[in-house]
Amino acid sequence: MNDDLFMTRAEMKARAKDRLNHPGVRLKLALALILPVVIMLILNIVVGMGLKQVMDQVTSLSDADFINRVQQATMDTQKKSLFANLLTFYFFTGVSLTTLDVVRNPDRPLRVFDIMFKLFNSTYFFSMLIMYVLVTLIVGVGSAFFYVPGIIFGLGLRLVYFLLYDARQRGDNRGAFTIMGDSWRLMRGYKADLLVMYLSFIPWYLLSALTLGLAELYVTPYIQATIAVFYEQVRIRYAADNPDSD
């Protein structure tokens, strides 16, 4: 094991901040996040208004009608949430993968439009969709069993989007299950490190919640850039420990 190759958590965060502080980087990433943050805000407002309408009619509805209205409101909310989650997944993942590019080369030119629609092309769109569905299902099934398996699956598969991005960039069309296996191997021995990393961001998550998501414009690039540095560290260390791997 090459322990000297692995940065500490503080060093990873410092590297992420350094990359984001290059001229124009943080601003362009924040601008690219405005649309998904607005979508999230609108969804929250719409859902809240729908629930308020149902509650306002409680006294005028029979028990059966009230149950039907609640069920209909729940179905509508789930449909809107599914669409919004999928759409924001593409935007947020585009920002995440852009931070990986920035970590590797902070001086590369960035355009807000390119960041926002990074995955909306034939190279990434359907591959990312398949991966998103599979990871969501696996983590969801794991979470049904007292949450712990879901957390473990989520940590073990956290690198799949980075790995898929790198694979497609070099013309490698390996499938989703192969990439998930690659992520699981890379994360062997590092799940606890990544979990502690996420826990260290709790104050930032709270800030985002208190600002109804507006702080995401600052918080998301910072967190994603840190995870990108983590990915680079794990990948480099794995290559050093397994020189014959691809």
Side-chain angles (χ1 to χ4, degrees), residues 2 8-9 44 66 73 77 86 95 105-106 109 123 148 174 204 219 232:
N2 296 284
T8 65
R9 186 167 62 254
N44 290 333
F66 176 70
T77 298
L86 187 58
V95 169
N105 179 14
T123 301
V148 174
R174 65 181 62 193
W204 292 109
V219 173
E232 285 289 85

Side-chain angles (χ1 to χ4, degrees), residues 30 53 61 71 91 102 111 142 157 194 203:
Q53 288 178 352
L61 295 174
Q71 290 176 337
F91 288 126
V102 169
R111 294 198 310 165
L157 299 176
L194 183 57

Side-chain angles (χ1 to χ4, degrees), residues 93 98 101 106 141 166 190 198 209:
T93 304
T98 301
D101 294 333
V141 170
D166 278 343
Y190 299 110
Y198 276 123

Side-chain angles (χ1 to χ4, degrees), residues 138-156 184 191 195:
I138 291 171
V139 174
V141 170
S143 297
F145 295 93
F146 305 105
Y147 290 101
V148 174
I151 293 173
I152 294 173
F153 291 152
L155 294 170
W184 195 262
K191 297 183 189 69
L195 178 59

Side-chain angles (χ1 to χ4, degrees), residues 54-88:
V54 173
M55 297 308 296
D56 287 344
Q57 298 173 357
V58 169
T59 56
S60 62
L61 295 174
S62 65
D63 290 345
D65 288 338
F66 176 70
I67 293 174
N68 289 333
R69 289 294 302 273
V70 170
Q71 290 176 337
Q72 184 61 48
T74 301
M75 291 179 60
D76 290 343
T77 298
Q78 289 175 340
K79 291 177 183 178
K80 293 170 183 174
S81 296
L82 178 62
F83 175 75
N85 288 340
L86 187 58
L87 196 58
T88 53

